[in-house]
DNA sequence: TCTAATTCATGTAATTTTATTTCATCATTA
DNA sequence: TAATGATGAAATAAAATTACATGAATTAGA
């Protein structure tokens, strides 16, 4: 039996050899492709003005195993058509939510692709090593990237990497003052222009703490000041035509670090499990 | 009934809430996607070492109409993936960082695609309206989703939607007690099984506050308890073979809400600009 | 701490639904 | 008028779902 048969293809090419009742069926299928997918033989027979037997025979005559097989192939076909029509548009409106969601998806995918393509395997490796060797890792951020830092701290601690983070800048700064060369600090900033974060980096440098920057802009003051750097992509500007950043890229960077660290850290799975158990009393 | 459900998405997201026999089925499906398409219930039951009844029940519990419906969706999914020619591999290692990054990318893209494909335009519209109409929006979370809630609160406030969130559960609870029907509360949870969040939802319901849940699992207690629901996909299980959630999907959901709200909210661009200016004294 | 009770996941078997095949009928053509 | 064969009704077969029973696990009570 042939595995993948194009339903439209077969119906069109064999159309002339069909009997009257079969043509009715073919017509209905061709013009209601996606509806057929959740119809039964009886329903299709009724809808096309034919009978169960004719529909069933028709499917076999067209080279399918049966009605079920035709439906599966039709589903594949519809999905494939949809899959190929990736059109990156920047329109978002409440009037066409379905299409808008597809547009957002395309943009987010582009964002992730760009972020990952900008990563230097060599530099990433250095960053991972730096994090693994560190006695304590500090994740710092201000404003709208604070949630990303908190998320990262949560993940790292889950892997057994002692990590601190916080919502108050002064507290973060105070902590940095106590760090040394055996630690590491990761600074997350969209633009890379934050004055306060620059001050913090200056303190870190004084104490010879290794520094890693995660920003949109490698040539920004923060990007330049830190020892190592990861660049995040954002396309929010395209979507809104305005000045405003996405956090998906930064969150993804944190997840990438997490995934790599989890495979290289010995016993990390034990740590995750222990952590899950420790917080699981909230469940059930 | 929901039309397009991502099979991998649902299976991964709800995996932890599956029973033993169901996990066997899910495992078999995830690792033999394309073979399932021409299998019967009995064959799958045999192959996965379970029974017909369990397979059938499993399909319904996952949100499908039945086994047939799951197969159709699986066929679509396989076809779509082939259409996009995405080859999803799950290997991550420090030895080949470049390839590992590509694998992570493929998985993250699949995660986003699934999350977005599971969104019902109609329900999303209701959610947006609910948020827009609300006097105050509360974003609540516990544990590792707190950063997502904080991020969302940041974004909403930027649009001129008064939003509260916090890191302390007791404080969040205290706030909920003061809310009413003219407000809205959004609950973010991975599994949807948090006891504390269920308590909070109960209070919200008592006060007739409209509730929206964002979880991996629409059939979880939280998913069921709330008025409206958004399902997030996670594939971390595939990457790590372990029990652990990704935050990229949840973050993306917040960004989607943000993008839609920003186009429909009048003057939202003014708000964003004003906010940017207000915090810009930190820059330069 | 042990036992009884209960809950609930799971498989077996019955039922229902769905698809296919057989067979009778009617139309068309030679 | 006979024969061929397309078609549909009905019977059969296949497949999926549901009802029910069983047994494991967990909880409550002693």
């Amino acid at each position: 039996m042939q595995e993948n048969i194009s339903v439209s293809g077969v119906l069109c090419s064999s159309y002339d050899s069909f009997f009257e009742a079969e043509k009715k069926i073919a017509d209905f299928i061709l013009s209601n492709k996606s509806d057929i997918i959740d119809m039964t033989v009886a329903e299709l027979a009724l809808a096309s003005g034919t009978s169960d037997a004719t529909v069933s025979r028709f499917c076999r005559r067209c080279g399918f195993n049966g009605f079920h097989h035709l439906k599966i192939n039709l589903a594949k076909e519809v999905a494939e058509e949809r899959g190929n029509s990736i059109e990156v548009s920047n329109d978002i409106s409440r009037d066409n939510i379905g299409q808008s969601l597809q547009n957002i998806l395309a943009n987010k995918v582009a964002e992730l692709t760009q972020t990952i393509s900008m990563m230097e395997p060599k530099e990433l490796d250095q960053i991972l090593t730096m994090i693994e060797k560190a006695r304590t890792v500090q994740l710092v951020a201000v404003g709208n990237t604070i949630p990303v830092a908190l998320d990262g701290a949560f993940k790292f601690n889950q892997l057994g990497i002692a990590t601190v983070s916080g919502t108050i800048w002064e507290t973060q700064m105070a902590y940095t003052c106590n760090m040394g060369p055996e630690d590491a600090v990761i600074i997350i900033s969209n633009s890379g222009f934050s004055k306060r974060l620059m001050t913090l980096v200056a303190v870190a440098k004084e104490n010879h703490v290794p520094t890693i920057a995660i920003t949109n802009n490698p040539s920004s003051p923060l990007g330049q000041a830190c020892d190592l750097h990861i660049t995040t992509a954002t396309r929010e500007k395209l979507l809104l035509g305005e000045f405003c950043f996405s956090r998906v890229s930064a969150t993804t960077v944190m997840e990438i670090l997490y995934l790599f660290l989890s495979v290289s850290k010995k016993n990390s799975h034990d740590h995750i499990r222990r952590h899950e158990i420790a917080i699981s009393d909230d469940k059930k």
Side-chain angles (χ1 to χ4, degrees), chain A residues 20 28 79 129 239 278-279:
Chain A
E20 281 315 304
F28 190 86
T129 306
L239 283 174
I279 61 171

Side-chain angles (χ1 to χ4, degrees), chain A residues 260-275:
Chain A
F260 275 109
L261 290 167
S262 74
V263 290
S264 54
K265 257 261 165 191
K266 275 181 212 153
N267 307 321
S268 68
H269 285 202
D270 286 349
H271 269 285
I272 296 172
R273 189 176 294 280
R274 261 162 56 194
H275 192 196

